[in-house]
Amino acid sequence: MRSLIFPVVIWLATLVPASAQDAADAELIGELMAFHGSRAIVSVMTTHCYETTGLDSAYKAASDNWYLRNIGFLDLANRVIERLGGGAEGQQKAAETYGGAEIMSAYNQAGDKDGFCRAFLEQVDSGALDIDKSLPDALAKAQDIAAQ
């Protein structure tokens, strides 16, 4: 799962033209947009697995707990993005769409879909998909900027 988030970061970094902001800011904005992609990954798979596995309450609780653990990081990302000049039009939606599409692609390729959902639930419950664990470098950069 963690390996799915890194390509999102790289892809999102290409969405903001360098002429709009300096390259470092554009790259960081792309990385911070990946926070929203992470949220979409959890949301999409929670809904999908919730509807297909019979572990309904476990997925709902895991998603709710993920959100509570990560809402501060999402808010931080939004504040830093605004401080850096804002993202490109539709960039957050693109991050969310990309994250959701990538996790569904991984699910569709899985041989054992029930096992995929159970492993996903374990990853969410354990905190392995939390922003501070999956995107620590981008989080540290955002925290440094917010502290200035």
Side-chain angles (χ1 to χ4, degrees), residues 42-43 46 50 55-70 117 120-127 129-130:
V42 171
S43 177
T46 295
Y50 174 91
L55 297 172
D56 298 352
S57 62
Y59 285 99
K60 176 78 169 107
S63 178
D64 290 347
N65 290 333
W66 183 94
Y67 183 76
L68 291 172
R69 290 191 308 266
N70 289 277
C117 282
F120 173 79
L121 178 61
E122 185 178 308
Q123 294 284 314
V124 175
D125 276 341
S126 73
L129 295 180
D130 286 3

Side-chain angles (χ1 to χ4, degrees), residues 68-89:
L68 291 172
R69 290 191 308 266
N70 289 277
I71 183 62
F73 302 138
L74 293 165
D75 287 343
L76 172 66
N78 290 338
R79 288 191 317 270
V80 171
I81 288 167
E82 284 304 311
R83 187 170 180 178
L84 296 175
E89 180 77 26

